[in-house]
Amino acid sequence: MKIILLKHYMCNWVGAFKIFIIISFLCISPLGFGETKGTTSKDNIRWNSFSKEVSAIKKSDYENGLSYIVSGTIALTGGLLGENISDDAVEKGIYNVFQSIGVASVGYGAYLWKVGGEKRSLYDALDHAKELTPKEKTIFLRAFYFQQKKKRKQERLIKAITHGLVAGVNLYNGTLQTQAGVKNALFFVGGVNLLASASYTFNF
């Protein structure tokens, strides 16, 4: 009886997982819609304020990293249990995906907790440079973020052009297709890339 109930719950997880995969594909794709930007700017940056900002980032990374580790462990455990009680090949494949996502989540959580992003690396490097005064560190930070701003602008331009070309190719190929399913798929991919190109264009 317990096995039947467990299988019932795991099957419900499979349905929810399929929806999660679709949403994840649309929201966490290489389009960059979820791209985050730091609050630091060249004009208002100071070493002391930067230190406080990074301290808050480290705390947030720890909490988020721990959350990824816990959720990844649950996904991995659920995938292992589901694979063991399922006889269906398709379900086993889905549970294997569960396991992979669980391991990836744990790894990402550990990375986020212990390593973090660019600001943490920059702060740690400057913090260990004891011979530099806070004023000199501030000068370096302003120069660094000035260059980063220029690079981000060039990156957005390249992404806008790339997504625009991908959109054009898919929309053009869609007009040549006679099969409705293939045509709609190409139009969908072209439309998504067109939106991505527009989003980068308006962020210049």
Side-chain angles (χ1 to χ4, degrees), residues 145-176:
Y145 279 106
F146 176 76
Q147 293 299 323
Q148 287 296 99
K149 184 177 180 181
K150 290 175 59 178
K151 288 184 177 181
R152 282 197 297 268
K153 185 175 182 179
Q154 294 172 346
E155 180 183 355
R156 288 195 296 270
L157 175 61
I158 293 173
K159 288 182 178 180
I161 294 174
T162 301
H163 283 291
L165 291 174
V166 173
V169 169
N170 281 278
L171 292 174
Y172 173 74
N173 289 331
T175 60
L176 302 179

Side-chain angles (χ1 to χ4, degrees), residues 12-22 94 97-98 101:
N12 289 338
W13 290 355
V14 170
F17 180 71
K18 291 177 181 178
I19 298 174
F20 169 76
I21 288 293
I22 295 173
I94 294 176
V97 174
F98 259 107
I101 289 181

Side-chain angles (χ1 to χ4, degrees), residues 31 33 162-174 182-198:
L31 302 179
F33 288 130
T162 301
H163 283 291
L165 291 174
V166 173
V169 169
N170 281 278
L171 292 174
Y172 173 74
N173 289 331
V182 177
K183 177 181 291 188
N184 292 336
L186 290 172
F187 281 158
F188 174 77
V189 174
V192 170
N193 278 276
L194 189 63
L195 290 174
S197 177

Side-chain angles (χ1 to χ4, degrees), residues 26-204:
L26 293 175
C27 299
I28 313 175
S29 65
L31 302 179
F33 288 130
E35 184 180 7
T36 58
K37 299 180 181 180
T39 57
T40 307
S41 68
K42 183 180 76 73
D43 297 326
N44 63 14
I45 190 170
R46 298 287 188 278
W47 173 248
N48 291 335
S49 61
F50 185 70
S51 299
K52 294 179 181 179
E53 181 183 348
V54 172
S55 295
I57 290 174
K58 287 184 177 180
K59 181 180 179 182
S60 176
D61 285 349
Y62 166 74
E63 294 173 351
N64 292 331
L66 194 61
S67 175
Y68 274 107
I69 292 174
V70 172
S71 60
T73 302
I74 294 174
L76 176 59
T77 303
L80 291 171
L81 291 174
E83 184 183 14
N84 289 331
I85 66 174
S86 176
D87 297 325
D88 185 82
V90 176
E91 286 187 6
K92 282 182 176 290
I94 294 176
Y95 290 127
N96 286 331
V97 174
F98 259 107
Q99 297 169 28
S100 299
I101 289 181
V103 173
S105 180
V106 171
Y108 178 72
Y111 175 85
L112 193 63
W113 176 8
K114 294 297 183 180
V115 180
E118 181 183 77
K119 284 187 178 182
R120 284 177 58 178
S121 299
L122 178 61
Y123 171 79
D124 290 339
L126 288 175
D127 189 50
H128 281 83
K130 304 299 183 182
E131 65 275 9
L132 296 179
T133 65
K135 182 178 180 180
E136 291 171 333
K137 293 177 181 180
T138 297
I139 293 173
F140 174 84
L141 286 172
R142 289 182 176 179
F144 176 82
Y145 279 106
F146 176 76
Q147 293 299 323
Q148 287 296 99
K149 184 177 180 181
K150 290 175 59 178
K151 288 184 177 181
R152 282 197 297 268
K153 185 175 182 179
Q154 294 172 346
E155 180 183 355
R156 288 195 296 270
L157 175 61
I158 293 173
K159 288 182 178 180
I161 294 174
T162 301
H163 283 291
L165 291 174
V166 173
V169 169
N170 281 278
L171 292 174
Y172 173 74
N173 289 331
T175 60
L176 302 179
Q177 288 292 329
T178 56
Q179 296 183 358
V182 177
K183 177 181 291 188
N184 292 336
L186 290 172
F187 281 158
F188 174 77
V189 174
V192 170
N193 278 276
L194 189 63
L195 290 174
S197 177
S199 71
Y200 285 117
T201 301
F202 293 132
N203 281 331
F204 287 141

